[in-house]
Amino acid sequence: MSKRIRFAQPQCFGISLLLLFLSLSPGLFPEDMAAAATVAAAVPSPDPVPAAAAPVLQAFTLEDTLKILDAELRWDPLFRAGILSSGDHSLAFQTGAAGVRNPVVLDNRDVLTLSAPYLEGGALRFPGEFVSAARSALDEYLKQDRSRFRIAAIIVDPGHGGKDNGASGTHTVKGKTFTLLEKDVNLRVSRDLHALLRTAYPDKQVLLTRSDDTRTTLEDRAVFANSVPLKDNEAIIYISIHSNASLTKSARGYEVWYLSPETRRTLVTESKYTDSPEVIPILNDMMEEEFTTESITMAQLIMKQFKENLGSLMPSRGIKAEDWYVVKNARMPSVLVELGFVTNEADALLMTDDTYLRKFSQALYKGITEFVDMFEHTGGFTSH
Ligand SMILES: [Zn+2]
């Protein structure tokens, strides 16, 4: 089996030569040539001692090779060389005499030394070793493509529950008094978001930390998040849904949080960054993970959707923690959203309105799917 060699770009054998092929015209091979015998006759050696080079016992026609590799050929008649391309992957080769071994460049970076394709009666022949090694290399690339940067799980975490009401606000509007509990608002939006994500991603684990009015401790939530099984190159994201409260009745609006390890000290010693003291342990818990730029990106995408979908009815209080963020590797990008203030009458009225709450879940859904698309297609995770 040929050993795959990787080398630095400046020394790349034949790269510039091979790239030159791209600009030259293809189609040298008439169909009758391509349709010549599938397997070239074995060449019997008069010498009983095996030759140093691999004997060319079997070779494939161009047509069969293209079928086996699911590839197209760009051929350069001048250099008698070609590039086989299959999907996003390429395999550049130079022909030689039958039995000669030449370097083959894969994806402009990996090199295999294989029995070279050769010309026979004007038609290309691909040695069996060449075709099987090329097929294996392409399979390996495809396997890597499938496994890279996949978000395998999304955890939606409705804050509080059961006897833990979270924040609460009592208001009297037009003679009617009502009390809004944070745990209820969080659950309503989370369940809706969960349903939207499940429909969009049947192949991902979309999980709720609680699906009804039950108490779930912070430890339970952390254990739950950490227990989701992941394969190599799979990632998990965490979205915690909360509603805000303040002694200042006029405080209102939504916020999106992400946190860095740098914030830990600040959070523990100062509460000015949040009006809900109960949120501090959650934020600290989330910081146990290594937060990264992905958390910022997710926060930004969600905030953008909040602004676009919620209109002018509720103000934005912005993304929090951005100023002190230090980029680190991530295992679990996480954000925490505060939907609005249950202690503010205008916010509380909006948060009792299912139509308005639906806007929140849809905005979250759009922000999250945008995040997933971005990172699954560009391979954005900085580390694993
Ligand atoms: Zn809360």
Side-chain angles (χ1 to χ4, degrees):
M1 217 169 135
S2 301
K3 184 162 170 59
R4 186 173 294 179
I5 305 158
R6 190 175 290 226
F7 49 60
Q9 284 290 340
Q11 290 86 38
C12 269
F13 169 85
I15 287 286
S16 50
L17 181 72
L18 292 163
L19 288 176
L20 188 67
F21 304 157
L22 293 169
S23 62
L24 301 171
S25 61
L28 222 221
F29 293 96
E31 289 197 0
D32 57 328
M33 287 186 184
T38 302
V39 180
V43 182
S45 170
D47 187 349
V49 180
V56 183
L57 295 177
Q58 187 195 28
F60 293 92
T61 60
L62 173 63
E63 191 183 18
D64 286 348
T65 301
L66 296 184
K67 261 187 217 158
I68 292 165
L69 301 181
D70 188 22
E72 290 175 2
L73 173 71
R74 300 185 196 196
W75 172 250
D76 170 34
L78 190 63
F79 291 100
R80 297 189 171 190
I83 294 178
L84 290 158
S85 46
S86 177
D88 294 335
H89 302 289
S90 68
L91 192 149
F93 65 90
Q94 187 142 31
T95 55
V100 159
R101 296 174 73 78
N102 272 349
V104 175
V105 181
L106 295 118
D107 278 7
N108 292 336
R109 57 186 169 98
D110 295 325
V111 176
L112 294 173
T113 301
L114 301 172
S115 296
Y118 57 93
L119 290 162
E120 187 179 73
L124 261 177
R125 291 280 179 272
F126 292 85
E129 183 215 11
F130 177 99
V131 174
S132 83
R135 183 65 266 168
S136 300
L138 287 171
D139 286 343
E140 183 59 32
Y141 284 154
L142 293 173
K143 204 171 112 192
Q144 287 171 15
D145 289 349
R146 278 194 298 271
S147 66
R148 79 180 165 196
F149 306 127
R150 183 173 178 266
I151 291 175
I154 302 172
I155 297 186
V156 180
D157 172 37
H160 315 280
K163 65 181 181 183
D164 173 14
N165 290 334
S168 68
T170 300
H171 306 278
T172 303
V173 179
K174 293 177 186 168
K176 278 180 76 177
T177 298
F178 68 96
T179 296
L180 186 61
L181 300 180
E182 182 195 347
K183 65 173 183 178
D184 297 333
V185 178
N186 300 346
L187 184 60
R188 229 170 288 163
V189 171
S190 297
R191 287 178 63 140
D192 200 18
L193 173 62
H194 176 256
L196 289 168
L197 289 169
R198 274 186 82 101
T199 306
Y201 299 120
D203 60 332
K204 295 189 195 305
Q205 300 180 71
V206 183
L207 307 164
L208 278 168
T209 54
R210 67 176 175 101
S211 56
D212 54 20
D213 186 20
T214 50
R215 181 166 157 75
T216 308
T217 65
L218 296 177
E219 290 75 24
D220 290 342
R221 292 173 211 257
V223 167
F224 180 74
N226 291 328
S227 68
V228 175
L230 296 174
K231 294 185 196 132
D232 286 349
N233 298 320
E234 285 188 341
I236 179 170
I237 57 176
Y238 191 92
I239 300 100
S240 196
I241 313 282
H242 286 257
S243 304
N244 229 330
S246 175
L247 293 173
T248 309
K249 297 282 180 198
S250 60
R252 64 175 305 213
Y254 50 81
E255 303 172 343
V256 183
W257 286 80
Y258 67 84
L259 290 156
S260 79
E262 298 300 305
T263 64
R264 176 189 289 277
R265 220 175 311 118
T266 313
L267 279 164
V268 169
T269 57
E270 296 178 49
S271 59
K272 67 177 180 180
Y273 294 103
T274 172
D275 292 309
S276 316
E278 46 81 19
V279 102
I280 292 172
I282 301 165
L283 299 178
N284 276 322
D285 211 35
M286 288 166 72
M287 281 187 292
E288 294 298 327
E289 304 301 328
E290 295 174 306
F291 286 90
T292 70
T293 47
E294 282 77 31
S295 297
I296 303 177
T297 303
M298 185 156 58
Q300 288 170 335
L301 292 170
I302 289 171
M303 179 53 82
K304 188 184 84 172
Q305 291 297 334
F306 275 2
K307 287 180 178 168
E308 285 177 12
N309 288 268
L310 302 170
S312 56
L313 287 172
M314 194 186 278
S316 164
R317 294 164 58 89
I319 293 174
K320 305 285 179 154
E322 192 166 39
D323 290 347
W324 349 291
Y325 192 77
V326 179
V327 176
K328 294 280 180 193
N329 294 336
R331 294 183 74 83
M332 193 184 296
S334 313
V335 297
L336 183 148
V337 300
E338 295 275 9
L339 299 171
F341 284 73
V342 294
T343 45
N344 174 270
E345 187 180 289
D347 277 11
L349 279 174
L350 288 170
M351 288 192 289
T352 53
D353 179 348
D354 279 343
T355 308
Y356 197 77
L357 289 181
R358 177 84 182 161
K359 289 179 191 285
F360 266 121
S361 48
Q362 282 176 330
L364 280 160
Y365 168 75
K366 286 179 189 168
I368 293 162
T369 51
E370 215 175 315
F371 176 81
V372 169
D373 284 350
M374 183 183 290
F375 284 94
E376 290 191 342
H377 290 118
T378 62
F381 287 103
T382 50
S383 179
H384 190 70

